[in-house]
Amino acid sequence: MVARGGMARFWSLESLQMAAADGGTESLALVDDNGSEEDYSYEELCQATPRYLQPGGEQLAINELISDGSIVHAEALWDHVTMDDQELGFKAGDVIRVLEASNKDWWWGRIEDKEAWFPASFVRGYIRQCRKHTGMFTTAQLSTIFGNIEDIYKFQRKFLKDLEKQYNKEEPHLSEIGSCFLQHQEGFAIYSEYCNNHPSACIELSKLMKQGKYRHFFEACRLLQQMIDIAIDGFLLTPVQKICKYPLQLAELLKYTTQEHSDYNNIKAAYEAMKNVACLINERKRRLESIDKIARWQVSIVDWEGPDVLARSSELIHSGELTKISKQGKSQQRTFFLFDHQLVFCKKDLLRRDILYYKDRIDMDEMELVDAEDGRDKDFNINVKNAFKIINRATEEIHLFCAKKQEDKKRWMEACESERRRVQEDKEMGMEISENQKKQAMQNARKSRHGKMKGVSYNGCPMPPPHQSLHPIHQRHITVPTSIPQQQVFALAEPKRKPSLFWHTFNKLTPFKK
C-alpha cells in the first residue's frame, strides 16, 4: 500500500509527465487542396453540414476531400518501425499521401511506391500546411509566427523519452526523474528564443486574422487535424506556458519528496536549475525590451560618433548630470549615461535643453572606481567636493567627476559598482543578445525617427524626436516565487520602475516646444 505522501508524489509526477508531453500527441493531418484554401473553409464546412463538427467528423471531412479528388498529405510525427508488410514504415518528417481515413486509429497511405496502413496518431501539421501555401505566407511571416517551435518539438521529444525511462510505472512514488532535468538543463535554453519571439508572433498573427481567409484557413486546419477547440494563438502559447510550469511543478514534487528519498537531492537541484532557466528567459525578455528603448534613445542624440551603444551594452544602469574636470582644471557640465560596459556623456544644447549632443564615452571594463575626499586633490591640484574618480588600470588615465550633492555622488558610486556586478552576472548567466536582434532594434529605431521627423531645428540640424523614457534599472527580478500562478510567471520580466526625474526635467526645460 502506498503511503499518503507517496500518493501525493505520484500525482505530482503524473502532472509533470503530462506537462512534458503536453501538445505532443495530437493527431494532425495536412491537406493539399491544390487550390484556394477558401474552397474548404471552416465556415463553409459548417454551413454545408454539421457532420464535420461531430465526433469523427475530421475523418469524414478528409475522406470526402479524397473522394472529390483532392490530395491529402500527412507529415510523420515519429518514426514508425514495423516488420509487418501490412504496415507502412517511415521516419519522422516523412510525407505520407493519405488514401483512406475511415478508421480513426489507422489510415491507408502511400510513400513512394508502397501502400499500407499506418497509425493516424503518428502524423501532424500546421507548419507544413502553411509552407505549402506560398501565396498566403512568406518565409519571413512563417519564421515570425512559428519561431523555432520545431527545434523545441525535437528537443521535447527526446526529453520526454528520457523522462519516461526514469518513470517507475509499477511504483510511481519510487521514480527518480531529477537527473533527467539536470541532464537536459542546457537544452531548455532554446525556449528563450521562442519566448522572446512570441510577442512578435502574436502581432503578426493578429494582422493576418483580420482577414477572413486566414481565419478560415487556420480553423479548417484545426478541424481537419483532430485538434482540440483552441485557436492557433493558444497552441503557440503552449511552449511559453510549459517552460514556466516546470519550476512550479518541481517545487510541488519536492514538497512531497522526503529527504530520505533517493531522488531528493536531484529533485532539489532540478528545481533550482529549471528556476534559473525560467529566470534567464525572463531576463532576456526584459533585456530585449530594454535594447529597443536604448536604440530609440541613441537615434535622438545629435552628432553620434563611433559604434552603436548596443554593440556592447544592453541596459541603462544610471543617468544624471556631473561636472567633468580635465587635467588642466577645466570643468565641463555634462549629462552622463552609465550602461553596462560603457559610460556615455553628452552636452545639452544651450537653448533647446531637450537636445543632446554626443561628446564621448569611457570603457568601463578597464576602469577602477576611487572615492575622492573633499578638499585639494593631489592628482589635479584643485579643490573638489562630492568628487570621485575613474582610473584606467592599463594606462593610469584618471577621470575626475564632481556631483552637486553628496547623495548624488553616493548614487553614482553605487551605480558604478552595480555595473561591474551586472557584467559579471551576465557572464555567469550566459546572457547574450544576438547581433541580429541588436541590428533589428537599431533599424526599427531609425525608421521610427525618419517617419516622425518634420523639418529642421533652428540651427539647421535635423530635429530629433523627444527623448524616449529610458529608465535606469535599479534591480533585477530574477526569482520565481512558487506562490505565483504559472500564467503570471512570464510577466515577471518587467519590474515596476519609478518615473525618471531626469527626463521629467527635460520636458520642463523646453522653451520652444510646440
Side-chain angles (χ1 to χ4, degrees), residues 489-507:
V489 175
F490 192 59
L492 289 175
E494 187 62 31
K496 293 182 180 179
R497 301 167 187 161
K498 296 180 180 179
S500 171
L501 294 177
F502 178 72
W503 295 115
H504 178 70
T505 305
F506 264 179
N507 291 332

Side-chain angles (χ1 to χ4, degrees), residues 28-145:
L28 311 176
L30 294 173
V31 181
D32 182 0
D33 50 29
N34 288 329
S36 170
E37 76 293 342
E38 293 181 343
D39 292 341
Y40 308 103
S41 72
Y42 174 69
E43 288 184 354
E44 290 176 340
L45 285 172
C46 294
Q47 292 171 0
T49 172
R51 292 177 300 162
Y52 297 128
L53 299 179
Q54 303 302 318
E58 296 85 4
Q59 285 77 28
L60 178 61
I62 292 171
N63 274 320
E64 290 191 2
L65 288 174
I66 295 172
S67 299
D68 292 339
S70 298
I71 299 175
V72 179
H73 285 97
E75 181 182 10
L77 188 61
W78 296 293
D79 295 348
H80 183 233
V81 181
T82 178
M83 301 296 290
D84 191 337
D85 291 339
Q86 293 297 312
E87 292 185 23
L88 196 62
F90 47 78
K91 295 181 178 180
D94 286 352
V95 177
I96 306 162
R97 179 170 178 179
V98 182
L99 302 177
E100 197 267 333
S102 59
N103 186 286
K104 69 174 184 177
D105 298 318
W106 289 88
W107 293 352
W108 185 264
R110 177 196 301 156
I111 294 181
E112 296 179 349
D113 58 349
K114 182 177 180 179
E115 294 184 12
W117 294 102
F118 67 93
S121 60
F122 276 48
V123 295
R124 66 164 182 169
Y126 258 127
I127 301 179
R128 187 175 179 85
Q129 177 71 342
C130 294
R131 286 175 179 157
K132 292 163 74 71
H133 287 73
T134 55
M136 292 181 66
F137 301 94
T138 65
T139 302
Q141 282 178 319
L142 293 180
S143 177
T144 299
I145 293 172

Side-chain angles (χ1 to χ4, degrees), residues 381-419:
N381 198 30
I382 59 172
N383 289 321
V384 296
K385 186 178 182 181
N386 304 326
F388 63 93
K389 300 175 185 177
I390 297 178
I391 303 175
N392 189 306
R393 289 187 292 266
T395 65
E396 297 185 351
E397 180 184 8
I398 303 175
H399 301 274
L400 178 62
F401 305 96
C402 293
K404 291 182 179 179
K405 301 178 182 178
Q406 181 66 27
E407 309 90 83
D408 296 335
K409 170 187 172 179
K410 181 180 178 181
R411 279 195 288 266
W412 270 106
M413 294 192 68
E414 289 175 348
C416 290
E417 292 172 352
S418 176
E419 184 270 339

Side-chain angles (χ1 to χ4, degrees), residues 335-367:
T335 304
F336 288 82
F337 300 87
L338 178 60
F339 300 91
D340 51 315
H341 298 287
Q342 58 187 320
L343 177 66
V344 178
F345 50 102
C346 304
K347 177 183 178 181
K348 286 185 179 180
D349 188 272
L350 293 175
L351 298 178
R352 287 293 302 268
R353 304 297 284 176
D354 60 336
I355 294 179
L356 294 177
Y357 293 86
Y358 174 84
K359 300 308 293 182
D360 206 349
R361 72 183 83 188
I362 297 173
D363 184 350
M364 295 299 292
D365 290 345
E366 302 296 328
M367 298 298 167

Side-chain angles (χ1 to χ4, degrees), residues 223-241:
L223 179 67
L224 296 176
Q225 293 167 6
Q226 305 181 51
M227 300 171 75
I228 59 177
D229 190 9
I230 297 177
I232 183 174
D233 54 348
F235 286 110
L236 294 177
L237 181 62
T238 301
V240 178
Q241 294 174 326

